Amino acid sequence: MRVAKWGNSLAVRLPKSLVDELGLKPGDRLDVLSARSDRIVVARDETKKKAVDRMRERALSIPRDYSFDRDEANAR
């Protein structure tokens, strides 16, 4: 993977094989679980999914295709 400049930050492009393996799509978030000079361990951030699952457990009526978008919810 190659590190590239993205605004004031650095970014890494993920290889298609990794994207396919993790089932990632644009907008998904990843957590860095650990990092060393020779290895970075990442996992899908399941925070939103867990929150929606908790709401479903409380028998709230949520459409199956619902997807929470924090930016949309906080748009002014």
Side-chain angles (χ1 to χ4, degrees):
M1 290 185 281
R2 179 175 291 160
V3 177
K5 186 84 168 149
W6 188 2
N8 290 329
S9 301
L10 297 177
V12 179
R13 286 189 185 220
L14 301 175
K16 184 177 181 336
S17 59
L18 179 61
V19 170
D20 291 344
E21 183 179 329
L22 295 176
L24 298 174
K25 59 188 178 306
D28 284 350
R29 292 180 167 270
L30 297 177
D31 285 329
V32 175
L33 302 178
S34 67
R36 299 188 322 222
S37 62
D38 63 338
R39 183 181 207 185
I40 297 174
V41 178
V42 298
R44 180 190 303 265
D45 179 351
E46 298 285 346
T47 305
K48 287 193 273 187
K49 180 186 179 303
K50 288 177 184 177
V52 171
D53 289 345
R54 281 194 307 270
M55 286 187 277
R56 285 197 176 108
E57 288 172 5
R58 293 185 175 108
L60 299 176
S61 178
I62 302 171
R64 271 290 189 215
D65 61 347
Y66 176 77
S67 175
F68 178 76
D69 184 330
R70 183 181 309 274
D71 293 331
E72 181 182 309
N74 291 317
R76 296 190 194 271

